Amino acid sequence: MDLIICVLGLLALVVESIRCQGVYAPPTVRIIHSGHACNVEEERHTERVYTIREGETLELTCLVTGHPRPQIRWTKTAGSVSDRFQDSSVFNETLHIAKILRTQGGRYYCKAENGLGSPAIKSIRVDVYYLDDPVVTVHQSIGEAKEQFYYERTVFLRCVANSNPPVRYSWHRGREVLTQGSDKGVEIYEPFFTQGETKILKLKNLRPQDYANYSCIASVRNVCGIPDRNVVFRLTNKTASPSIKLLVEDPIVVNPGQTVSLVCITTGGEPPPILTWVSTNDSLPQRSVVNGGTLTLPAITSEEAGVYSCVASNNVGNPAKKSTTIVVRALKKGRFWITPDPYHNDDNIQIGREVKISCQVEATPPEELTFSWLKNGRALRSSERMVITQTDPDISPGTTNLDIIDLKFTDFGTYTCVAALKGGGIPEISIDVNISSTTVPPNLTVPRGKSPLVAREGDTVELECLVSGKPKPIILWSRADKEAPMPDGNMQMESYDGVLRIVNVSREMTGSYRCQTSQYNGFNVKPREAVVELIVQYPPTVEPVYTEMRQGLGRPVVMTCRVLRAHPSRVLRFEWLLSNRLLHAGAFDAQKDETEYTIRNLNRDGWGEYTCNVINEAGAGKCTFQVTGKAYPPEFYYDTYSPLWQNRPRVYGFKLQWTQMNPNAVDRIVAYRLGIRQMGLQRWWEQEIPVDGTINKGELMTHNLTELIKPESYEMRLTPITRFGEGDSTIRIVTYSAPINPHLREFHCSFEEEPICMFTQDKNDDFDWTRHSAATRDTKYTPNTGPSGDRSGSKQGFYMYIETSRPRKEGDQARLISPFFNVAPKNPYGITNPPAYCFGFFYHMYGKHIGTLNAFLKQKGQTTSDGPVWSLTGNQGDRWKQAKVSIHPTSSFQVVLEGVRGPGIEGDIAVDDVTLEEGECRDPPPNPGSKASSTAFHIWLLCITLVMTLLEGQR
């Protein structure tokens, strides 16, 4: 029989070894929640709804499986808009939003991907609940409109509160609850079009008793613990909508730098209205000061001009609003142009012909704009030959024209246009225009050798157009070959000297540029223009810019540098270097777009940084190859089933597992260096884990960590080692979680510590179990019952027992409940074959009044448990005995030990050394001194030898 068991064990190990070769798996994902959820309910089969109160903390955790460890990303979709979070939690397993807002509700997606198969995606809808304070507004009926409600026959009180879920309203008059039909003079209804957003109280044929305090109570039925909110409105015979008056002119015209005060007062309204100021500029100026109904704007600027409104509201009728416009006086953008005689096809100014000088200025307010003309500094008045005209003063920008009829030699001179605002306070704008025999229209040319202009990327270039003529106009630069912005982002750039200066020119700026005379500050004639070609040369763009090539000794390495684009496109030459040492150089083959370098047999001297320079007239493009024998990082395996175990009070163990990324890419890994650092401390402890044989891709390696101190967490750093040296490291955190969620591989509790391994006393039983040791137990009253030591025989060791002395009576029950144990299914969608666990403990049942000891399995979600999985009644003698029973839970579970008091006081029952292990229970080992034990030992020794031989053969 033992040999059969050995063979079965061998087969199990072979299957496990084969399984470890294929631990790579695509991701699976599920979302769990913590934080402050009000409710989580299933909606269909694919989505859950998570309800939370506004202001609480949202915490959603994305639990993933899959190897390599999947990368996790949280996204949110609201309607058709997809948003990504900007905080750091977006790529973490846990999405944490403190003080959640109502706008942050919506559907949240967790996406996990590791490059194998399709990404795994799960979603959960977050519903944020809230209730704002209700607001009551009062309106009078349509009919004879009086200012006071005293004269009105019908009044409507409307109550509105923003909420989620929909709010329920109730109305009170004083202490009286108002309902539909409770008072003939009262009608309560919801307008059809509001869809439950409001509740209107209609007071028909207003009566004296209707003047009272009205309370509107908004309620969401205490969901998420949100309390009801209420608002009180006092209706009197003086209740009236607001009215206001502005104590300012409209408009207000001021000079920049002045302080402006706007005063608004209430002239009516009950309850007293609240005054606010608003502006057409979205918000009030930052330096503005509001004091009651007075708005003060210190040192006003032109940007602060606009319409300012005083709004009064008391929730009765419609708000009252009065507005005024602030106009800040200003003069800007003075321009001129000269128009030759339009009746002659000649752009030049000639004696005997007409010439017109135009002057334009933007003025605020435009009606205050005035123009005057000077000739050679002396005032000029309109005459038959000097005709001065001006456009409509209400039109902006304002323009004045000086028409010189029949130009004479004596008319040559400097004409000055002076723009001013009535009342002064703003500096005048003067524009001088010279009319003489040298006043000629403009001409544009490109200097020789300036087009095409060749530059290198990153240079500063100057595109130049020579402009002649008097006066010289402003030159406008733009792209001539395409609709594209200029370097400053605008479609046109102005130049006063005809030069366009571009700093740090880029390849995208290659093309044609147009220079053109403007039609202001010069002749009003057909624009002159010229085109300048710009050619930007740049070094070859190559790939890869940088790549790392990992290879073992004795193997070939091929490096390829490819040219993507260059200007000029004719590449001159290439060169290969290793750490600045020239390896190979030559002319670039024009028929190919790449160059190649091969290492036929990599040796230690071949490790290093290789550079390929591909060179043209503008410079060099560089490919960099880092050739190394460094091993790839290991990949920690996070899906280990129950990796943490505890078999001693103060320490715990952890099964650390990993696979090696691309193990055959470099030389054989001979060892791993494991660094361990307790979180919060600086010091690292290191040990070397030797590796025998060759590691296969997907092979799962294991190292058991022991002596980890409860409840500390540790940072693990694992580094592969080859002949090259150390490879890339991988880091993970090991966290002790047994007190919250005990793992099952080797759970053991001997009750030596006061927390008693997180066991708890049942609150619904008759009495409690007691933790004791034989050294401290009082045996004065019950000498013939209970153990004389713990299970190991120690007088100092602790155990749990039930004390059956008075006042206990027959049938009283004491129950001891374990912490919850999780059953982790291999299939993420549920458990199809429930796993088996062996529940064991030692018991001591000595005394003539011994009752019953029961063991129960209690699964999560079950309100009542089935019958006991193990039970024993009566005196079993003064010795410890072991009990073992196999259990098959299908969900998270607890084990329960129940002691039942017998007919008398000599009935103490004790338990010790509670264990829970994976797999079915095996028979307790026989007495080591027997012949059968010796035979079994030799059979198992043979079995172990066979197993080791098989594993060595697989390597």
Side-chain angles (χ1 to χ4, degrees), residues 85-104:
F85 304 108
Q86 299 301 316
D87 55 70
S88 60
S89 68
V90 63
F91 290 106
N92 290 345
E93 291 185 5
T94 299
L95 171 65
H96 182 94
I97 303 178
K99 298 181 179 179
I100 191 168
L101 304 175
R102 63 192 66 179
T103 55
Q104 293 174 307

Side-chain angles (χ1 to χ4, degrees), residues 563-582:
V563 177
L564 301 179
R565 53 190 171 274
H567 193 87
S569 58
R570 185 173 59 88
V571 175
L572 299 181
R573 58 191 178 91
F574 68 86
E575 57 185 20
W576 286 90
L577 301 97
L578 171 59
S579 302
N580 297 321
R581 177 168 59 89
L582 183 63

Side-chain angles (χ1 to χ4, degrees), residues 378-453:
R378 303 177 70 175
L380 186 66
R381 298 181 182 276
S382 183
S383 63
E384 290 184 359
R385 220 170 50 80
M386 297 281 187
V387 181
I388 299 175
T389 58
Q390 185 172 340
T391 58
D392 190 328
D394 291 332
I395 298 176
S396 183
T399 306
T400 181
N401 299 309
L402 172 61
D403 276 295
I404 304 176
I405 310 298
D406 188 17
L407 181 68
K408 300 182 181 302
F409 182 79
T410 54
D411 295 328
F412 288 169
T414 300
Y415 292 84
T416 304
C417 165
V418 180
L421 291 180
K422 297 175 183 177
I426 300 297
E428 298 176 340
I429 291 181
S430 297
I431 302 173
D432 291 336
V433 183
N434 185 264
I435 300 295
S436 68
S437 58
T438 60
T439 302
V440 293
N443 187 36
L444 274 182
T445 57
V446 177
R448 179 176 296 181
K450 292 294 186 177
S451 181
L453 183 65

Side-chain angles (χ1 to χ4, degrees), residues 18 163 184 248 320-321 339 348 357 509 554 630 640 656 805 854 872 875:
I18 293 173
S163 73
K184 292 184 179 180
V248 292
K321 182 178 180 180
T339 305
N348 291 289
I357 307 172
M509 296 177 185
K630 181 188 293 187
T640 306
L656 192 69
S805 301
N854 296 318
L872 189 62
N875 187 0

Side-chain angles (χ1 to χ4, degrees), residues 533-550:
E533 293 289 338
L534 174 63
I535 300 173
V536 180
Q537 294 183 343
Y538 51 90
T541 301
V542 295
E543 67 172 11
V545 175
Y546 177 87
T547 189
E548 186 179 60
M549 305 186 73
R550 305 192 186 208

Side-chain angles (χ1 to χ4, degrees), residues 112-131:
E113 52 187 337
N114 65 355
L116 299 178
S118 300
I121 301 175
K122 289 290 183 182
S123 68
I124 187 170
R125 200 178 81 218
V126 176
D127 205 0
V128 182
Y129 279 6
Y130 58 91
L131 174 61

Side-chain angles (χ1 to χ4, degrees), residues 40 73 202 454 495 502 566 586 705 801 853 856 863:
V40 178
R73 186 181 70 195
K202 180 179 180 182
V454 179
S495 170
I502 304 177
L705 300 166
Y801 85 107
L853 177 62
F856 295 91
T863 55

